[in-house]
Amino acid sequence: MFLKANNQVKDIIYVHKNTDRQYVVSYGINFNEFASNARKPLKNLLLIKHQYEHGAFNIHTHLEYVEQDEMKKIMNDGVQSYGDFCWIDFEEEVGVDELNGQEIAELLYMGHVKQPLNPPFYSKLNNRYAYLSHDDGWFNKVYYREFEDFYHMLGATVSSKLSTVKGGKGLFGMKKEKDYPIIGQEVIHSFRDKLKEGMVISLEKAIQTRGKIEIPIWVIGDYYDMDEMAEDYKQIRKSPANGLLSYDRKMKSWSALLR
């Protein structure tokens, strides 16, 4: 299920939200984008599966961790090459030291199969997330204590991707604009039903004019195999979109259009 993708598609984001189990599966959002666009700065990360070589060691759990002031170092470490990259955030190391054997076993199980035995939110850690990825940015499964964190991160990530410089120019081969404003949560909320079905936000198919930018969205379904998702996207992108994210250049504002 977690084989390396052979047919990655650039400049798309796939998201499927499972409301009942409090997680989102995604493609096209990597750890750097997640951390940079989090609603609140990440605190400390307890590393469950990783290849990071500079973490501190917690003797109680025999797991390594990254403190908040070291976050930039792991963000620059190329986590997409780790294979599995799984972590859970925590507020204070004293909370990690209070985890019992059952809770430590649950964390190890979650990192191994990308699925928790119980809801992965611990009062001892006061964590907001459980982050489980394989070939980070290809298959990511993130559990959210509050989905408002997800809506903010998604809106901020889409707008930041538009601002990415490519060869000295913006996404559309034009002179780079100033950073785009974050897409508000109320706009992302408009797509909540489509998020539950599984949807692709296609930056590669965005249409820009002097007055606006329109980013098409397709409902595509529920996937764990991102090779399969990419193949199906290549077919569905030939059909009319199910919605648009629209940016008004003059008003410098975002809106949603559903179809």
Side-chain angles (χ1 to χ4, degrees):
M1 180 169 60
F2 299 117
L3 295 177
K4 180 70 174 178
N6 296 315
N7 56 350
Q8 294 189 20
V9 181
K10 292 184 178 180
D11 296 325
I12 70 166
I13 296 172
Y14 166 75
V15 277
H16 174 249
K17 174 187 170 189
N18 188 311
T19 303
D20 293 338
R21 296 186 180 179
Q22 288 182 258
Y23 69 76
V24 175
V25 169
S26 69
Y27 165 104
I29 301 174
N30 60 38
F31 172 67
N32 282 23
E33 291 165 331
F34 180 92
S36 298
N37 295 309
R39 186 160 65 125
K40 296 181 179 179
L42 294 179
K43 292 196 173 178
N44 310 295
L45 308 184
L46 185 62
L47 303 177
I48 303 170
K49 292 195 79 172
H50 66 101
Q51 294 183 31
Y52 186 61
E53 297 180 350
H54 310 291
F57 184 74
N58 177 262
I59 194 166
H60 175 67
T61 60
H62 284 217
L63 294 172
E64 292 176 285
Y65 64 95
V66 177
E67 294 179 296
Q68 186 172 26
D69 58 4
E70 294 284 308
M71 202 65 64
K72 288 291 184 184
K73 185 177 288 188
I74 192 170
M75 288 173 68
N76 293 328
D77 199 55
V79 300
Q80 70 278 359
S81 66
Y82 289 0
D84 289 333
F85 178 51
C86 305
W87 54 263
I88 192 167
D89 57 302
F90 66 93
E91 283 201 337
E92 303 289 344
E93 190 178 5
V94 65
V96 177
D97 292 336
E98 291 175 356
L99 292 172
N100 60 38
Q102 174 66 29
E103 291 164 332
I104 296 169
E106 287 178 6
L107 293 179
L108 296 175
Y109 176 89
M110 179 174 67
H112 184 62
V113 302
K114 309 294 185 296
Q115 183 171 309
L117 288 168
N118 297 301
F121 303 106
Y122 299 87
S123 58
K124 297 170 184 176
L125 303 180
N126 198 25
N127 63 300
R128 304 179 72 85
Y129 313 105
Y131 186 102
L132 314 170
S133 74
H134 180 79
D135 295 334
D136 186 69
W138 177 61
F139 176 89
N140 290 44
K141 185 179 185 182
V142 181
Y143 286 79
Y144 290 87
R145 185 187 291 269
E146 300 176 16
F147 273 123
E148 296 307 305
D149 287 337
F150 163 67
Y151 294 131
H152 176 91
M153 185 279 302
L154 181 59
T157 298
V158 172
S159 62
S160 69
K161 280 182 177 290
L162 276 183
S163 302
T164 300
V165 175
K166 296 189 175 183
K169 296 184 178 181
L171 180 67
F172 305 108
M174 301 178 66
K175 184 178 178 181
K176 182 178 179 289
E177 297 189 16
K178 293 181 180 178
D179 290 348
Y180 297 92
I182 290 174
I183 303 171
Q185 293 187 41
E186 70 283 354
V187 176
I188 301 296
H189 279 166
S190 302
F191 295 97
R192 57 186 175 272
D193 290 337
K194 291 176 170 41
L195 285 164
K196 288 189 286 188
E197 295 182 67
M199 74 181 203
V200 168
I201 302 169
S202 181
L203 296 167
E204 69 154 5
K205 290 294 182 181
I207 298 172
Q208 66 88 24
T209 63
R210 186 178 297 275
K212 63 184 176 181
I213 299 170
E214 293 183 334
I215 303 171
I217 288 171
W218 281 275
V219 173
I220 192 170
D222 179 4
Y223 293 86
Y224 263 57
D225 184 332
M226 295 306 164
D227 275 323
E228 184 181 354
M229 183 280 298
E231 281 300 317
D232 289 350
Y233 164 72
K234 289 174 183 177
Q235 296 303 313
I236 202 171
R237 68 185 176 185
K238 300 171 186 177
S239 61
N242 302 117
L244 296 171
L245 281 168
S246 182
Y247 177 67
D248 187 306
R249 293 181 185 274
K250 183 176 180 181
M251 300 301 294
K252 299 187 184 302
S253 63
W254 288 94
S255 60
L257 175 63
L258 305 181
R259 294 173 177 169

